[in-house]
Amino acid sequence: WKKWKRAFLYYSDEQGLTDANKKKSQLLHFAGCDVQDIFDDLPHPCSNPKERDDEFQITIRKLDYHFRVAENIP
């Protein structure tokens, strides 16, 4: 996920994507149906009410949380 996300961020910068909804749509489109299904099943992340996160930031936060690496500490 980390490598794929980094590649998408490079792509979106190169394409000049600034609209958060378009970036979210393109990210989910290029990620494919499996990631779209995961995204739709994830709960909305908790955020600070003072922050004004756009749709793209919320999407990234949800997917980052889902694809985080869990440490196995005995």
Side-chain angles (χ1 to χ4, degrees):
W1 164 247
K2 288 181 183 181
K3 289 180 181 181
W4 194 94
K5 181 177 75 170
R6 182 180 62 214
F8 178 79
L9 292 174
Y10 289 147
Y11 165 80
S12 66
D13 286 344
E14 188 272 326
Q15 292 294 313
L17 295 174
T18 56
D19 182 80
N21 289 328
K22 285 184 180 182
K23 283 174 78 171
K24 172 190 169 185
S25 295
Q26 291 230 351
L27 176 122
L28 292 173
H29 169 75
F30 288 125
C33 294
D34 291 337
V35 174
Q36 292 169 19
D37 290 341
I38 291 168
F39 175 78
D40 289 339
D41 291 338
L42 293 173
H44 192 280
C46 296
S47 63
N48 186 345
K50 293 181 181 178
E51 293 179 13
R52 298 284 183 214
D53 288 346
D54 59 37
E55 286 296 316
F56 181 72
Q57 291 170 331
I58 292 170
T59 302
I60 290 293
R61 187 179 307 129
K62 285 172 74 170
L63 292 172
D64 279 346
Y65 182 77
H66 176 76
F67 289 113
R68 73 192 181 285
V69 176
E71 293 184 33
N72 186 6
I73 302 173

